[in-house]
Amino acid sequence: MTTAIARGLALGLALMLAVPPSQGFVLKGSSSRSNTRAMARSRGKGNSGVRGLAVMVEGGSLNPSSSWSSSSSSSPSPTPHATVVFLRHGQSVWNEASLFTGWADVELTTLGKNEAAKGATEMWKEGLEFDVAYTSLLTRAQQTLDIALTIMGQEDTPVNKDWRLNERMYGGLTALNKKKTAAKYGADQVKEWRRSYDTPPPPVDKTSDYWPGNDDKYAHIPDDQIPLSECLKDTVDRTLPYWDSAIAPALKRGMYMIQRTTYNVQRTTYNVQRTTYNVQRTTYN
């Protein structure tokens, strides 16, 4: 896989962390026995989806002149390739209540657990086997990953947890009702806070229970690195260094990787369907 493509995946990951979890999206990688596929799921009426991120990388080889497939005997020097899967977390308690969540550490609802289980079942049907998993420090993300790995019988998969894979930090909007906030500040202002690339929401007060610096799980992080609020750009700047230092090396080794976090790219509803998705048929040199 070229550097540009790798960085493109990294940027997509970073943006995923900033999109509100009102829609779900699963990008599904292939095993060496099948083509790469994407699985998209929406959370509209009559649809349930999985929100969050899972990245997996498959081991194997790729004939550079052929399509995305198992190694070809005609290739004199097959090169390693990797498969990634992005899995969004299931519905959380605050998703259900329509509250801005961000770094607030809330659990999955029963529906959210069922969504995670459904996504795991689909991955199991594809015969996906993971070498390594990545997730954030947020409970809802870890619950989703645990459910997925358990259903697939892959509980022993090494799991890496890092705060840089957390959802975007919503700052002073954390715990506020979305409709009431729009009524108070205006729909356009709230839309700018949520959708603009470089305009963050109001900062959270450091005395607030919702500032991560008051949570012991972030005690190892210098205060100046703990956000008071984040826009999409801030989320990208936070996430890309971790991608480069931890995830990209695993991709280069040609591993099956599953990464579990939250997602924030665009408000697009994806229908539940099994559709072929050409992620990128290139080698990771």
mmCIF file of all heavy atoms in Angstrom, residues 29-58:
data_model
loop_
_atom_site.group_PDB
_atom_site.id
_atom_site.type_symbol
_atom_site.label_atom_id
_atom_site.label_comp_id
_atom_site.label_asym_id
_atom_site.label_seq_id
_atom_site.Cartn_x
_atom_site.Cartn_y
_atom_site.Cartn_z
ATOM 1 N N GLY A 29 -13.069 -5.912 5.938
ATOM 2 C CA GLY A 29 -11.948 -6.389 5.150
ATOM 3 C C GLY A 29 -12.157 -7.821 4.716
ATOM 4 O O GLY A 29 -13.065 -8.500 5.158
ATOM 5 N N SER A 30 -11.274 -8.294 3.841
ATOM 6 C CA SER A 30 -11.423 -9.645 3.315
ATOM 7 C C SER A 30 -10.489 -10.601 4.019
ATOM 8 O O SER A 30 -9.484 -10.214 4.588
ATOM 9 C CB SER A 30 -11.086 -9.659 1.827
ATOM 10 O OG SER A 30 -9.700 -9.503 1.651
ATOM 11 N N SER A 31 -10.812 -11.866 3.948
ATOM 12 C CA SER A 31 -9.853 -12.892 4.313
ATOM 13 C C SER A 31 -9.135 -13.261 3.034
ATOM 14 O O SER A 31 -9.478 -12.803 1.957
ATOM 15 C CB SER A 31 -10.577 -14.124 4.868
ATOM 16 O OG SER A 31 -11.302 -14.763 3.840
ATOM 17 N N SER A 32 -8.138 -14.118 3.110
ATOM 18 C CA SER A 32 -7.402 -14.492 1.914
ATOM 19 C C SER A 32 -8.253 -15.338 0.991
ATOM 20 O O SER A 32 -7.867 -15.632 -0.116
ATOM 21 C CB SER A 32 -6.142 -15.280 2.310
ATOM 22 O OG SER A 32 -6.506 -16.433 3.050
ATOM 23 N N ARG A 33 -9.450 -15.705 1.456
ATOM 24 C CA ARG A 33 -10.320 -16.557 0.663
ATOM 25 C C ARG A 33 -11.402 -15.782 -0.055
ATOM 26 O O ARG A 33 -12.184 -16.331 -0.802
ATOM 27 C CB ARG A 33 -10.973 -17.614 1.570
ATOM 28 C CG ARG A 33 -9.981 -18.502 2.265
ATOM 29 C CD ARG A 33 -10.711 -19.571 3.068
ATOM 30 N NE ARG A 33 -11.560 -19.008 4.103
ATOM 31 C CZ ARG A 33 -11.109 -18.613 5.280
ATOM 32 N NH1 ARG A 33 -9.827 -18.687 5.552
ATOM 33 N NH2 ARG A 33 -11.937 -18.130 6.180
ATOM 34 N N SER A 34 -11.525 -14.499 0.216
ATOM 35 C CA SER A 34 -12.615 -13.753 -0.407
ATOM 36 C C SER A 34 -12.207 -12.329 -0.702
ATOM 37 O O SER A 34 -11.218 -11.835 -0.195
ATOM 38 C CB SER A 34 -13.837 -13.753 0.515
ATOM 39 O OG SER A 34 -13.516 -13.124 1.724
ATOM 40 N N ASN A 35 -12.997 -11.676 -1.523
ATOM 41 C CA ASN A 35 -12.694 -10.303 -1.898
ATOM 42 C C ASN A 35 -12.977 -9.353 -0.757
ATOM 43 O O ASN A 35 -13.777 -9.621 0.130
ATOM 44 C CB ASN A 35 -13.533 -9.882 -3.110
ATOM 45 C CG ASN A 35 -13.079 -10.559 -4.371
ATOM 46 O OD1 ASN A 35 -11.922 -10.942 -4.480
ATOM 47 N ND2 ASN A 35 -13.981 -10.711 -5.315
ATOM 48 N N THR A 36 -12.321 -8.195 -0.792
ATOM 49 C CA THR A 36 -12.576 -7.161 0.209
ATOM 50 C C THR A 36 -13.992 -6.653 0.053
ATOM 51 O O THR A 36 -14.458 -6.416 -1.028
ATOM 52 C CB THR A 36 -11.591 -6.002 0.012
ATOM 53 O OG1 THR A 36 -10.275 -6.528 0.135
ATOM 54 C CG2 THR A 36 -11.819 -4.908 1.025
ATOM 55 N N ARG A 37 -14.677 -6.507 1.208
ATOM 56 C CA ARG A 37 -16.061 -6.041 1.165
ATOM 57 C C ARG A 37 -16.292 -4.955 2.182
ATOM 58 O O ARG A 37 -15.628 -4.898 3.196
ATOM 59 C CB ARG A 37 -17.007 -7.204 1.482
ATOM 60 C CG ARG A 37 -16.872 -8.332 0.487
ATOM 61 C CD ARG A 37 -17.900 -9.391 0.774
ATOM 62 N NE ARG A 37 -17.800 -10.415 -0.229
ATOM 63 C CZ ARG A 37 -18.763 -11.250 -0.520
ATOM 64 N NH1 ARG A 37 -19.901 -11.163 0.100
ATOM 65 N NH2 ARG A 37 -18.601 -12.169 -1.438
ATOM 66 N N ALA A 38 -17.241 -4.144 1.888
ATOM 67 C CA ALA A 38 -17.651 -3.163 2.880
ATOM 68 C C ALA A 38 -19.043 -3.506 3.333
ATOM 69 O O ALA A 38 -19.864 -3.929 2.554
ATOM 70 C CB ALA A 38 -17.660 -1.774 2.299
ATOM 71 N N MET A 39 -19.260 -3.346 4.617
ATOM 72 C CA MET A 39 -20.569 -3.561 5.152
ATOM 73 C C MET A 39 -21.060 -2.263 5.738
ATOM 74 O O MET A 39 -20.430 -1.702 6.593
ATOM 75 C CB MET A 39 -20.457 -4.587 6.242
ATOM 76 C CG MET A 39 -21.712 -5.287 6.368
ATOM 77 S SD MET A 39 -21.679 -6.824 7.026
ATOM 78 C CE MET A 39 -22.537 -7.478 5.699
ATOM 79 N N ALA A 40 -22.142 -1.745 5.227
ATOM 80 C CA ALA A 40 -22.643 -0.488 5.711
ATOM 81 C C ALA A 40 -23.992 -0.690 6.354
ATOM 82 O O ALA A 40 -24.817 -1.407 5.845
ATOM 83 C CB ALA A 40 -22.765 0.474 4.555
ATOM 84 N N ARG A 41 -24.147 -0.054 7.493
ATOM 85 C CA ARG A 41 -25.369 -0.248 8.237
ATOM 86 C C ARG A 41 -25.895 1.090 8.712
ATOM 87 O O ARG A 41 -25.131 1.917 9.164
ATOM 88 C CB ARG A 41 -25.099 -1.144 9.447
ATOM 89 C CG ARG A 41 -24.482 -2.458 9.037
ATOM 90 C CD ARG A 41 -24.281 -3.323 10.266
ATOM 91 N NE ARG A 41 -23.758 -4.597 9.871
ATOM 92 C CZ ARG A 41 -24.494 -5.576 9.386
ATOM 93 N NH1 ARG A 41 -25.780 -5.422 9.251
ATOM 94 N NH2 ARG A 41 -23.954 -6.720 9.031
ATOM 95 N N SER A 42 -27.175 1.269 8.636
ATOM 96 C CA SER A 42 -27.762 2.517 9.111
ATOM 97 C C SER A 42 -28.604 2.259 10.347
ATOM 98 O O SER A 42 -29.052 1.162 10.579
ATOM 99 C CB SER A 42 -28.636 3.128 8.012
ATOM 100 O OG SER A 42 -29.740 2.306 7.776
ATOM 101 N N ARG A 43 -28.778 3.318 11.110
ATOM 102 C CA ARG A 43 -29.603 3.228 12.302
ATOM 103 C C ARG A 43 -30.877 4.030 12.123
ATOM 104 O O ARG A 43 -31.224 4.854 12.944
ATOM 105 C CB ARG A 43 -28.842 3.759 13.496
ATOM 106 C CG ARG A 43 -28.262 2.685 14.369
ATOM 107 C CD ARG A 43 -27.806 3.277 15.669
ATOM 108 N NE ARG A 43 -28.888 3.347 16.622
ATOM 109 C CZ ARG A 43 -29.502 4.435 16.988
ATOM 110 N NH1 ARG A 43 -29.200 5.574 16.498
ATOM 111 N NH2 ARG A 43 -30.463 4.391 17.871
ATOM 112 N N GLY A 44 -31.575 3.833 11.037
ATOM 113 C CA GLY A 44 -32.839 4.520 10.842
ATOM 114 C C GLY A 44 -33.961 3.622 11.304
ATOM 115 O O GLY A 44 -33.749 2.618 11.950
ATOM 116 N N LYS A 45 -35.181 3.981 10.954
ATOM 117 C CA LYS A 45 -36.316 3.155 11.327
ATOM 118 C C LYS A 45 -36.206 1.828 10.592
ATOM 119 O O LYS A 45 -36.031 1.776 9.395
ATOM 120 C CB LYS A 45 -37.622 3.855 10.963
ATOM 121 C CG LYS A 45 -37.859 5.140 11.757
ATOM 122 C CD LYS A 45 -39.167 5.783 11.371
ATOM 123 C CE LYS A 45 -39.408 7.050 12.183
ATOM 124 N NZ LYS A 45 -40.668 7.713 11.803
ATOM 125 N N GLY A 46 -36.308 0.768 11.354
ATOM 126 C CA GLY A 46 -36.230 -0.546 10.752
ATOM 127 C C GLY A 46 -34.816 -1.008 10.504
ATOM 128 O O GLY A 46 -34.586 -2.089 9.997
ATOM 129 N N ASN A 47 -33.813 -0.199 10.859
ATOM 130 C CA ASN A 47 -32.432 -0.576 10.659
ATOM 131 C C ASN A 47 -31.666 -0.421 11.953
ATOM 132 O O ASN A 47 -31.863 0.496 12.705
ATOM 133 C CB ASN A 47 -31.763 0.317 9.610
ATOM 134 C CG ASN A 47 -31.963 -0.194 8.207
ATOM 135 O OD1 ASN A 47 -31.935 -1.400 7.993
ATOM 136 N ND2 ASN A 47 -32.195 0.707 7.281
ATOM 137 N N SER A 48 -30.756 -1.340 12.201
ATOM 138 C CA SER A 48 -29.846 -1.183 13.323
ATOM 139 C C SER A 48 -28.446 -1.238 12.772
ATOM 140 O O SER A 48 -28.171 -1.931 11.821
ATOM 141 C CB SER A 48 -30.045 -2.304 14.352
ATOM 142 O OG SER A 48 -29.743 -3.547 13.780
ATOM 143 N N GLY A 49 -27.543 -0.470 13.358
ATOM 144 C CA GLY A 49 -26.192 -0.428 12.828
ATOM 145 C C GLY A 49 -25.181 -0.474 13.940
ATOM 146 O O GLY A 49 -25.510 -0.393 15.107
ATOM 147 N N VAL A 50 -23.935 -0.629 13.564
ATOM 148 C CA VAL A 50 -22.857 -0.651 14.528
ATOM 149 C C VAL A 50 -22.038 0.611 14.355
ATOM 150 O O VAL A 50 -21.545 0.887 13.281
ATOM 151 C CB VAL A 50 -21.970 -1.892 14.304
ATOM 152 C CG1 VAL A 50 -20.856 -1.922 15.325
ATOM 153 C CG2 VAL A 50 -22.821 -3.157 14.420
ATOM 154 N N ARG A 51 -21.914 1.378 15.416
ATOM 155 C CA ARG A 51 -21.127 2.592 15.376
ATOM 156 C C ARG A 51 -19.802 2.316 16.043
ATOM 157 O O ARG A 51 -19.751 1.732 17.096
ATOM 158 C CB ARG A 51 -21.838 3.718 16.143
ATOM 159 C CG ARG A 51 -23.104 4.184 15.497
ATOM 160 C CD ARG A 51 -23.888 5.023 16.472
ATOM 161 N NE ARG A 51 -24.390 4.211 17.548
ATOM 162 C CZ ARG A 51 -25.486 3.487 17.461
ATOM 163 N NH1 ARG A 51 -26.179 3.487 16.376
ATOM 164 N NH2 ARG A 51 -25.897 2.758 18.470
ATOM 165 N N GLY A 52 -18.723 2.772 15.467
ATOM 166 C CA GLY A 52 -17.455 2.564 16.110
ATOM 167 C C GLY A 52 -16.441 2.111 15.111
ATOM 168 O O GLY A 52 -16.740 1.994 13.950
ATOM 169 N N LEU A 53 -15.261 1.813 15.537
ATOM 170 C CA LEU A 53 -14.253 1.496 14.572
ATOM 171 C C LEU A 53 -13.497 0.233 14.912
ATOM 172 O O LEU A 53 -13.103 0.018 16.019
ATOM 173 C CB LEU A 53 -13.274 2.645 14.514
ATOM 174 C CG LEU A 53 -12.202 2.447 13.484
ATOM 175 C CD1 LEU A 53 -12.716 2.806 12.121
ATOM 176 C CD2 LEU A 53 -11.025 3.255 13.833
ATOM 177 N N ALA A 54 -13.308 -0.596 13.930
ATOM 178 C CA ALA A 54 -12.450 -1.753 14.089
ATOM 179 C C ALA A 54 -11.570 -1.822 12.868
ATOM 180 O O ALA A 54 -12.030 -1.695 11.758
ATOM 181 C CB ALA A 54 -13.285 -3.015 14.196
ATOM 182 N N VAL A 55 -10.317 -1.974 13.081
ATOM 183 C CA VAL A 55 -9.420 -2.101 11.949
ATOM 184 C C VAL A 55 -8.733 -3.438 12.032
ATOM 185 O O VAL A 55 -8.151 -3.772 13.038
ATOM 186 C CB VAL A 55 -8.340 -1.006 11.949
ATOM 187 C CG1 VAL A 55 -7.345 -1.252 10.830
ATOM 188 C CG2 VAL A 55 -8.967 0.343 11.803
ATOM 189 N N MET A 56 -8.809 -4.222 10.986
ATOM 190 C CA MET A 56 -8.046 -5.446 11.003
ATOM 191 C C MET A 56 -7.187 -5.537 9.772
ATOM 192 O O MET A 56 -7.502 -5.009 8.729
ATOM 193 C CB MET A 56 -8.918 -6.679 11.086
ATOM 194 C CG MET A 56 -10.076 -6.676 10.222
ATOM 195 S SD MET A 56 -11.081 -8.072 10.518
ATOM 196 C CE MET A 56 -12.093 -7.888 9.104
ATOM 197 N N VAL A 57 -6.093 -6.222 9.943
ATOM 198 C CA VAL A 57 -5.160 -6.356 8.849
ATOM 199 C C VAL A 57 -4.886 -7.826 8.634
ATOM 200 O O VAL A 57 -4.578 -8.543 9.569
ATOM 201 C CB VAL A 57 -3.845 -5.640 9.176
ATOM 202 C CG1 VAL A 57 -2.891 -5.726 8.025
ATOM 203 C CG2 VAL A 57 -4.130 -4.213 9.540
ATOM 204 N N GLU A 58 -5.008 -8.279 7.398
ATOM 205 C CA GLU A 58 -4.793 -9.688 7.138
ATOM 206 C C GLU A 58 -3.384 -9.958 6.671
ATOM 207 O O GLU A 58 -2.781 -9.157 5.981
ATOM 208 C CB GLU A 58 -5.765 -10.205 6.069
ATOM 209 C CG GLU A 58 -5.305 -9.970 4.662
ATOM 210 C CD GLU A 58 -6.060 -10.782 3.639
ATOM 211 O OE1 GLU A 58 -6.424 -11.924 3.935
ATOM 212 O OE2 GLU A 58 -6.273 -10.269 2.551
#
